[in-house]
Amino acid sequence: MKTQYISALLWYHNGDEEQKKTGFGVEMMYQKESERVQMTLEDFILPFGGKLDAGNRWVKLAALMPWDMIEDVYARSFKNKRRDGRPAIPARIAFGSLHIQASECFTDEKVVENISENPYLQYFLGLHEFQTKPLFDTSMMTYFRKRFTADDVAAINEELYRRVHPPKDEPPQGGGNGGTLVLDATVAPADVRYPTDLSLLNECRENVEELIDTVWDKTEKRGHKTSYNRRKARKRYLKIAKLRKAKRKAVKQAVSEQLDYVERGLSDLDNLLAALPKDTLKHRQWERLATLRSVAEQQRTHLENPQASIPDRIVNLRQPHVRPIVRGKAGHPVGFGQKLGFSVVDGYTFIDAQSFDNFNEGVTLIASAEKYKARFGHYPERILADTIYRNRENRRFCKEHGIRLSGPRLGRPKADELEADREIAYRDSCDRNIVESRNGIAKRRYGLDRILTYLSCTAKTEAALVVLAMNPAHCLRTLLRTFFARMFRLLRCSEVFSGFGGYPVGPNYRFKARQPAASFSISEPKLLEWESNGHDRKYFWLTCPLAASLIRSIRFAQIVPPDISACSCH
């Protein structure tokens, strides 16, 4: 995964324009839109008049997204085909719809409905005029997820971070390492029923019977379709499944019976297919048949040797790529989905490892550190991670590159260093909480706790889109916090308010605005005027859109006239 999305970034930044248009020698089917600047709010036409609000979050997100790179990535996903067909849906609409779905936790149907109802979403998608007609069918969302792989989304995430946080020209102080890298791993559960051997085998038996019914009419055989009684097999399953708490011996006997029914059904199906052409079953049916045979083999191995380890164990027929991942969490000891390795830098989240197979997250530390160096040009000053990351190989790597790895040192602690180590460990544990926060936000707010897509490629793409959706929202919150910090620093240094500055309020000074307070808007900067008896008028521009709303909300009538010309906002 690392090599693929890094190569995508290198292709985007190093490839010339001719190569981008032709896909390195292959003429692309997708016709990219001509280069044009992002339209302004005044250019967007509303049927009911007026204009869009510049402070809307979708307007701000439209300015943050790297649409030029998204256009190139989308164009490369098309093969060289004839161009006389229907034109493809633009890249901005395709990726923008996926981003809207990940940001709002919409279903495919809700995405299409909300786009046709919301002018801000249409502006985000690059439309010039509001329209109520759906832009595409809901089934196209699946094709959009196939066009943008998880590696493509990871490369877009890297590019978005690079544009929001441009690299600094000056190296860290002392020419060494700098910054903090926080690591953790989590499981993104798939939308599957909690699997048991009995329910899985019963589902296998029903699928085998459906395949037999499909090919039975194409044969000349008559009589019973299966060598066992279907009703009896169903009753034997329900007898145990309906019990509140079945005994272990009864469950094992029921599993053995259902496994016998599945194997007999597969034998009957093989006999029927032997006399029929290969195209009797569709491609998906052949894939399902291969899955059924694999499940039967795995269950037979597990029944004969319960202690044996079964590689690539299948727990769901519709999603055979899903694997059980043991996490040891309270209430959820085992997760069924994909495992993600997160890294957080300055509140910005990246996916460093992603797989449906369980892996030891400790082996991803070195790769994450190398990605950090490729991102910033130097290694992090410290890495905050769990105990599982603190193996000898990772400790040796951090020591060689001057990186401080969180956690206690090896060996017996010295008496004079014990208190200092405790203080550092406490500070590291506090700073590491941000990755737990990002995990919780991704699962509870953005739907990472249940991935609804069924294919392995689209499931990975959906998980990557969830992480990508968190980062622009974090950027907007960071800008808002920066504004309030600078605003209060300005008020503190200029001592505008008597309650804040500590000066008495005099009767000769009053606050005056160029516009009435009721007409203040939160979308445009306002010019505030301080006027006193016999003093020169002094003006001060508030450059943030929310400043006028903040001043109005405090509702003060008199102020002390400070030396505004000497006041500065850092």
Side-chain angles (χ1 to χ4, degrees):
M1 176 179 178
K2 171 186 175 183
T3 306
Q4 292 178 352
Y5 82 73
I6 287 182
S7 61
L9 282 174
L10 293 176
W11 173 85
Y12 174 72
H13 290 294
N14 299 333
D16 56 19
E17 295 299 326
E18 190 64 27
Q19 289 177 332
K20 292 179 182 180
K21 293 179 181 179
T22 61
F24 285 95
V26 180
E27 191 174 12
M28 306 304 296
M29 175 187 176
Y30 176 72
Q31 296 296 309
K32 295 190 292 184
E33 297 181 359
S34 58
E35 298 294 336
R36 55 181 175 86
V37 183
Q38 167 68 37
M39 62 178 179
T40 61
L41 296 178
E42 291 75 11
D43 297 334
F44 191 85
I45 303 175
L46 294 172
F48 40 80
K51 63 178 182 179
L52 300 179
D53 183 11
N56 186 272
R57 59 191 175 107
W58 292 109
V59 176
K60 297 178 180 179
L61 285 175
L64 287 178
M65 300 300 293
W67 297 116
D68 50 351
M69 179 182 182
I70 293 173
E71 188 84 20
D72 295 330
V73 172
Y74 187 67
R76 287 192 294 113
S77 64
F78 288 86
K79 298 180 181 179
N80 183 21
K81 295 182 179 180
R82 297 175 58 183
R83 298 189 178 186
D84 54 355
R86 182 179 178 179
I89 296 177
R92 182 160 179 171
I93 294 180
F95 188 83
S97 302
L98 295 177
H99 187 78
I100 293 172
Q101 183 182 42
S103 300
E104 303 298 325
C105 296
F106 287 154
T107 60
D108 294 348
E109 293 78 8
K110 287 294 182 180
V111 171
V112 179
E113 291 178 4
N114 281 269
I115 290 176
S116 61
E117 298 170 356
N118 194 329
Y120 288 100
L121 296 183
Q122 295 189 14
Y123 175 85
F124 178 74
L125 298 182
L127 273 66
H128 294 270
E129 183 178 0
F130 178 75
Q131 62 182 48
T132 58
K133 183 180 179 180
L135 300 181
F136 50 84
D137 187 72
T138 57
S139 61
M140 291 300 301
M141 294 293 294
T142 302
Y143 294 96
F144 294 161
R145 285 188 287 267
K146 291 181 179 179
R147 294 293 183 188
F148 293 96
T149 63
D151 299 324
D152 295 334
V153 177
I156 295 172
N157 192 25
E158 292 275 357
E159 179 66 16
L160 178 62
Y161 180 83
R162 189 187 67 83
R163 297 189 179 187
V164 176
H165 301 80
K168 300 179 180 180
D169 297 333
E170 64 276 5
Q173 296 181 356
N177 302 334
T180 301
L181 177 64
V182 188
L183 302 178
D184 196 15
T186 187
V187 177
D191 186 25
V192 298
R193 176 184 59 184
Y194 191 88
T196 62
D197 294 338
L198 183 59
S199 62
L200 181 61
L201 287 173
N202 176 72
E203 188 178 358
C204 290
R205 177 185 58 80
E206 293 176 349
N207 277 260
V208 171
E209 293 172 358
E210 291 178 2
L211 293 176
I212 292 177
D213 295 338
T214 301
V215 302
W216 182 261
D217 296 336
K218 300 178 182 180
T219 62
E220 298 179 356
K221 294 186 178 182
R222 296 294 181 269
H224 297 289
K225 296 181 181 180
T226 57
S227 58
Y228 59 89
N229 191 319
R230 296 188 180 185
R231 291 185 178 180
K232 182 179 178 180
R234 174 68 177 174
K235 289 182 178 180
R236 298 293 295 177
Y237 163 72
L238 293 177
K239 181 180 178 180
I240 303 299
K242 289 185 176 181
L243 293 178
R244 183 180 298 272
K245 189 175 182 180
K247 295 183 179 180
R248 182 179 301 179
K249 184 177 180 180
V251 172
K252 185 177 180 178
Q253 182 179 357
V255 169
S256 179
E257 292 176 352
Q258 293 298 318
L259 179 57
D260 182 63
Y261 292 141
V262 171
E263 292 176 344
R264 291 167 65 180
L266 289 174
S267 179
D268 297 337
L269 181 60
D270 291 339
N271 294 333
L272 295 176
L273 293 175
L276 296 175
K278 189 175 182 179
D279 57 352
T280 303
L281 297 179
K282 299 179 181 179
H283 179 70
R284 290 186 178 181
Q285 293 175 330
W286 282 111
E287 290 183 348
R288 179 58 60 87
L289 180 57
T291 303
L292 294 172
R293 289 171 177 168
S294 299
V295 172
E297 294 176 0
Q298 293 177 359
Q299 291 295 327
R300 176 59 65 183
T301 302
H302 179 67
L303 186 64
E304 295 177 353
N305 188 5
Q307 304 299 328
S309 177
I310 301 176
D312 298 333
R313 185 169 184 177
I314 299 175
V315 296
N316 187 270
L317 294 182
R318 191 170 187 179
Q319 303 184 55
H321 52 273
V322 173
R323 300 286 179 265
I325 299 178
V326 180
R327 295 293 294 159
K329 301 292 184 179
H332 300 280
V334 181
F336 301 93
Q338 52 184 309
K339 190 171 183 179
L340 305 175
F342 282 162
S343 66
V344 180
V345 180
D346 298 331
Y348 207 91
T349 310
F350 302 92
I351 297 181
D352 291 341
Q354 185 177 15
S355 176
F356 281 99
D357 295 324
N358 198 359
F359 59 87
N360 187 338
E361 53 262 40
V363 301
T364 64
L365 184 142
I366 298 178
S368 300
E370 294 295 342
K371 291 179 182 179
Y372 187 95
K373 182 180 180 181
R375 216 175 277 133
F376 301 101
H378 56 82
Y379 288 106
E381 181 182 358
R382 59 174 181 166
I383 296 180
L384 309 182
D386 277 338
T387 307
I388 195 172
Y389 291 90
R390 304 166 194 162
N391 54 43
R392 293 188 178 274
E393 183 179 359
N394 291 339
R395 289 178 183 271
R396 188 183 307 109
F397 173 83
C398 294
K399 184 177 180 180
E400 292 175 356
H401 297 87
I403 304 173
R404 183 174 67 81
L405 183 60
S406 63
R409 305 175 184 176
L410 294 179
R412 180 178 299 178
K414 299 180 180 179
D416 56 343
E417 298 178 353
L418 186 59
E419 187 64 27
D421 290 346
R422 289 179 179 177
E423 183 179 354
I424 294 176
Y426 175 76
R427 186 169 60 252
D428 290 346
S429 63
C430 294
D431 295 341
R432 188 193 166 276
N433 288 338
I434 185 174
V435 71
E436 302 293 347
S437 172
R438 304 303 287 174
N439 288 344
I441 292 174
K443 291 187 176 182
R444 300 178 65 88
R445 165 62 180 85
Y446 293 94
L448 192 64
D449 58 339
R450 189 175 66 167
I451 302 298
L452 299 178
T453 52
Y454 295 125
L455 301 178
S456 60
C457 58
T458 56
K460 290 184 177 181
T461 300
E462 183 175 352
L465 286 169
V466 167
V467 175
L468 178 62
M470 290 194 303
N471 292 328
H474 171 74
C475 293
L476 296 180
R477 289 194 299 269
T478 303
L479 293 177
L480 185 62
R481 288 196 300 267
T482 303
F483 154 67
F484 280 112
R486 292 184 177 181
M487 186 64 193
F488 285 111
R489 189 182 300 115
L490 167 66
L491 298 178
R492 191 166 55 248
C493 69
S494 62
E495 298 174 347
V496 173
F497 301 113
S498 61
F500 284 79
Y503 287 89
V505 177
N508 297 328
Y509 306 110
R510 61 189 178 87
F511 170 75
K512 180 180 179 182
R514 282 288 181 86
Q515 297 181 5
S519 65
F520 275 12
S521 172
I522 64 173
S523 61
E524 298 179 359
K526 299 300 177 185
L527 180 62
L528 303 183
E529 174 186 350
W530 281 269
E531 179 180 344
S532 63
N533 296 339
H535 289 78
D536 295 335
R537 297 182 178 182
K538 297 183 178 182
Y539 304 97
F540 187 77
W541 279 100
L542 296 177
T543 57
C544 183
L546 296 179
S549 177
L550 177 65
I551 297 295
R552 187 181 69 249
S553 63
I554 299 178
R555 297 180 181 178
F556 62 94
Q558 293 177 323
I559 63 171
V560 176
D563 187 6
I564 303 178
S565 61
C567 176
S568 62
C569 179
H570 300 284

